[in-house]
Amino acid sequence: MVELEIDGKKVKVPEGSMVIQAAHKVNTYIPHFCYHKKLSIAANCRMCLIEVENIPKALPACSTLVSSGMVVRTTSDKAVKAQQSVMEFLLINHPLDCPICDQGGECQLQDLAVGYGKSSSRYSEEKRIVFHKNVGPLISMEEMTRCIHCTRCVRFGQEVAGIMELGMLGRGEHSEIATFLSSTVDSELSGNMIDLCPVGAITSKLFHYSARSWELSHGHSVSPHDSVGSNLIVQAKNNRVMRVLPLENEEINECWISDKDRFSYEALNSAERLTQPMLRRDGRLYEVDWETALTFVTNNLQNIKTAYGSKEIATIVSPHSTLEELFLLKRLTRELGSANLDFRLRQSDFSMPSQGVPWLGMPLAMLSGVDAAFVIGSFLRYDHPLIAARLRQAAASGAKVSLLHASADDSFIHIKNKILAPPSAWVDSLASVAVALAEIRGITSPAGLTGVQSNTTAKHISDSLLNGRCRVILLGTSAVSHPEFSKLYSIAQWIAQTSDATLGFLPEAANTIGAYLVDALPGDGGADAAQAFSSPRRLYILFNVEPQFDVANPQQACAALAQADIVIALSSFKIGADYADVLLPISPFTETDGTFVNAQGTVQPFSSVVRPLGESRPGWKVLSALGNLLGLHNFSYANAKEVAATALGRVDVQSCLSNVPMRHIPLERGTLMRSPGAFERISDVSIYDADSLVRRASSLHMTRVSKASLHAFLPTILFKKLGLREGDAIRVQQGETSVMLPAMHDAKLHDVVVRVPAATYVAARLGSLFGDLRVEKA
């Protein structure tokens, strides 16, 4: 530790710290623009000039290392005059448009100009002009004349997002920030550049000129999308959500959020919002009042139960639902006598016994400091953008990150070892790592893996998992939805135990862990999500679910719903035009109180920010009302906190999460085979198709990433064999069904793998997320 003095205050900081960091420790503010605690030091703006005793000239606090006995003055005449001079230079070319500037009221330059600027400028020459740039549908670079070249946006792309999409061109007054790689900024974290920009040069296209900061009410919330559970600030005006910003939480999302967290609010007021109960009459859905809709629901639940038994009732719920909704839905289903309840919508292999909670296995913050990570079956960048950012940070610090997948997509992470294999070979490929580990440790390979050979890559992965203090094996979304998930799990478990690494999961949804905690799973003899559709039931309760997008086999699910006598859908949006008999409007996360439990097991309650739109109601209230109308016990709650307290009352969360459940399953080789001449399907769920909110955020669907999800991606050999050009139509056949899709070349795919993204209208006509495909030029 180094001791120094700042404005008369003694402070001790670690050796290698900068003066500005020491000043923060004693709550001394030093004005700055380019410095940011999460980015590298650039020392561009010079606004943080301070006086250091025995040093003749002012020094930038952000790039001046502390030393023992150093005496720093931040408010001396020398320091203040230096800061005022820098401010005068910064304002030379800055447009005087504060009254109309979109950043007005929350502009760092505006704030500091009040304290360090002068009442008039000595600069009388023409100001420079920088032409605007159209970089996509999300962020606006229309006012780049305001840019002060702090390069925060450039450094963010390079260091956090993993791709340097922006850079600085030119010199002197001809310097400007511009796109480097393409005409648009396509990072899934791009919106953070808006927060980083201190002057309003980069702003939000969705929020542009729609409100002033002082007109907005503020509420704290939690992201309903992926399992990180990013903390949010939701801002509203006239009962309408206007903007979403990150709420800093170092243990969860640091100070970042993904673009789907930031911009999905656009769907909250879309034309597809369900604001009134709807009932099917004469083949069409008509708006009705709540009493009519609830009476219809209760009557049909009782009729089906009486006529056919409770086994004919199946409840399918989204893991994006709140803890309260999941708990009450479980209680409703059980009280009706049905054991058919599940939230594991995209899982197809349920042969492994269900016990324990498959969580991350460690705190999110620890991912940034792992020494080795082995990721199995995950498109990290799109499945979990902020987890990818943490692993990117770890890799930049020297961590050895390895990958097993059908695509060599590295998510802008430095991948040390890659196993590229078609899905049918994943089990044996993972088994080769287990065999290599056994050879390195000098122990006998597991009996069930006889005949599996190790290889150089497998040995490198095994070696990385044996060295270092913190190693982790992560099973991703594609691994969990794999047809042989139980085998992947058992081998990964053996590798983790043998190498003393941590075994963890990358949960798919906002409340996957919460769903496990309240046991929203099939009861004794109950049907899981796959069985509920493969063996059709007479009555389905769909909660926050769109079967054509959210399940492992959408074609099968849609066929089962078409056969059902009654389909009850509780949703925030108008869905089920061809299968729902009644729609009950439930409120999205901004209009309800609730609780999410994230990947590391943190229980995060949140409150509504705006009133429910139209006649929609919080889901927990609707379920409570249904329980009472059916005459069931224990459905009377005053508020969501009571429901959550009951749901978690007998659950020791920390005990449930002490370890990833170790399930004793015999290790086996894979048995999947590819048909002669066929290709294997791999399906990723596009980041902007992952749930009902992002599907209806129109600006997100104007991005390059979203448009690409409507294509089929072909490996190099197949693309050339068919003589295709980008965008040419191909026919993709799975089973008896075929669809037409534009083709794109993807050099990262294995030679026998075709990537057809899931959760799209076209993909909904195909079968399961894995399987054989036939591809031909249309």
Side-chain angles (χ1 to χ4, degrees), residues 178-197:
T179 50
F180 261 31
L181 302 180
S182 66
S183 59
T184 57
V185 174
D186 302 307
S187 167
E188 66 285 355
L189 300 173
S190 67
N192 292 291
M193 296 178 184
I194 299 167
D195 302 329
L196 288 171
C197 183

Side-chain angles (χ1 to χ4, degrees), residues 189 513 595:
L189 300 173
I513 304 302
T595 306

Side-chain angles (χ1 to χ4, degrees), residues 43-104:
N44 287 335
C45 72
R46 318 305 281 186
M47 191 66 213
C48 63
L49 292 174
I50 42 95
E51 180 184 0
V52 178
E53 194 172 79
N54 299 324
I55 302 292
K57 64 177 183 178
L59 298 177
C62 69
S63 61
T64 300
L65 284 166
V66 298
S67 61
S68 182
M70 176 185 278
V71 177
V72 176
R73 301 183 183 93
T74 68
T75 56
S76 64
D77 285 345
K78 181 188 284 189
V80 170
K81 285 179 180 177
Q83 293 161 1
Q84 288 176 339
S85 297
V86 170
M87 178 58 69
E88 188 173 15
F89 279 115
L90 287 174
L91 293 177
I92 277 177
N93 277 308
H94 198 81
L96 304 177
D97 63 349
C98 289
I100 64 158
C101 177
D102 204 39
Q103 196 86 343

Side-chain angles (χ1 to χ4, degrees), residues 342-372:
D342 207 355
F343 68 90
R344 301 164 298 173
L345 306 184
R346 292 196 176 100
Q347 190 170 327
S348 57
D349 177 13
F350 296 92
S351 58
M352 183 170 56
S354 178
Q355 64 183 71
V357 179
W359 67 300
L360 186 62
M362 61 171 56
L364 284 159
M366 282 186 66
L367 290 174
S368 304
V370 296
D371 298 303

Side-chain angles (χ1 to χ4, degrees), residues 607-775:
S607 300
S608 60
V609 180
V610 293
R611 297 186 303 275
L613 189 64
E615 290 297 310
S616 63
R617 295 291 181 267
W620 70 268
K621 286 189 175 182
V622 176
L623 293 171
S624 181
L626 272 174
N628 286 322
L629 287 171
L630 287 164
L632 306 178
H633 300 293
N634 301 320
F635 275 88
S636 296
Y637 293 95
N639 51 55
K641 289 182 180 178
E642 284 189 15
V643 184
T646 306
L648 295 176
R650 296 182 182 178
V651 177
D652 184 346
V653 177
Q654 294 309 312
S655 176
C656 291
L657 302 178
S658 58
N659 286 296
V660 172
M662 293 298 175
R663 295 162 181 168
H664 301 287
I665 305 163
L667 272 65
E668 297 179 67
R669 296 190 60 176
T671 56
L672 293 181
M673 299 290 289
R674 184 172 66 257
S675 301
F679 291 83
E680 291 189 42
R681 179 181 178 183
I682 185 72
S683 299
D684 62 313
V685 178
S686 168
I687 186 172
Y688 304 134
D689 289 312
D691 60 72
S692 59
L693 269 176
V694 291
R695 281 178 206 133
R696 292 166 176 85
S698 57
S699 293
L700 291 176
H701 285 273
M702 294 166 62
T703 60
R704 180 177 297 184
V705 171
S706 182
K707 291 176 181 177
S709 68
L710 301 176
H711 295 69
F713 295 83
L714 276 57
T716 301
I717 291 177
L718 178 59
F719 198 82
K720 289 181 178 179
K721 180 181 177 182
L722 295 178
L724 298 171
R725 293 178 297 179
E726 294 282 332
D728 282 354
I730 58 171
R731 180 177 288 105
V732 178
Q733 182 178 352
Q734 185 173 9
E736 300 300 316
T737 308
S738 65
V739 297
M740 300 282 284
L741 286 167
M744 288 188 73
H745 172 228
D746 186 349
K748 296 178 179 179
L749 285 173
H750 188 279
D751 290 343
V752 298
V753 172
V754 173
R755 180 159 69 95
V756 182
T760 67
Y761 284 102
V762 178
R765 289 152 45 195
L766 293 173
S768 65
L769 303 181
F770 295 84
D772 289 351
L773 297 177
R774 306 265 174 192
V775 181

